[in-house]
Amino acid sequence: MKGDRVEIVVDAGDTTRTYEVVASRAGRRVETAVRRGVVEVSEVTRSGSVVRTARFMATRVLALVEQPVPREETGEKEARTGRPLGEDPETE
């Protein structure tokens, strides 16, 4: 979902570096995979096509933080709009 992001903190010798992969458009998500000693973070479309990928050696990754966008509950959405879900204000 747009706004989802993953922060990766990597050991770069004498310092650390922080990278972010963000779902930049609506309908995109960020997926994380660890395979064969490589951490792979990808931005993926609805259809499953990979838009971009960041790869890091697993031995160098210090932290991997997934930060999803807070999802609204149905009760919160009704309270904010003042009407039940599915009700169209233009048809009233």
Side-chain angles (χ1 to χ4, degrees), residues 5-90:
R5 70 179 202 216
V6 175
E7 290 183 37
I8 306 103
V9 180
V10 180
D11 178 18
D14 59 340
T15 185
T16 60
R17 293 193 181 197
T18 303
Y19 299 92
E20 280 190 356
V21 177
V22 180
S24 58
R25 290 187 173 178
R28 292 190 181 171
R29 63 186 185 277
V30 179
E31 293 183 351
T32 305
V34 180
R35 298 184 194 121
R36 296 182 146 194
V38 176
V39 175
E40 189 173 282
V41 182
S42 304
E43 182 180 356
V44 182
T45 63
R46 285 185 186 131
S47 63
S49 301
V50 176
V51 177
R52 59 183 166 179
T53 301
R55 291 186 182 100
F56 306 94
M57 291 175 42
T59 56
R60 294 289 185 180
V61 174
L62 301 175
L64 186 73
V65 182
E66 296 181 359
Q67 298 179 345
V69 172
R71 311 290 194 245
E72 287 187 10
E73 297 295 323
T74 34
E76 292 176 8
K77 197 173 234 181
E78 285 179 17
R80 189 171 46 86
T81 59
R83 61 182 178 277
L85 289 177
E87 194 175 296
D88 190 11
E90 295 178 9

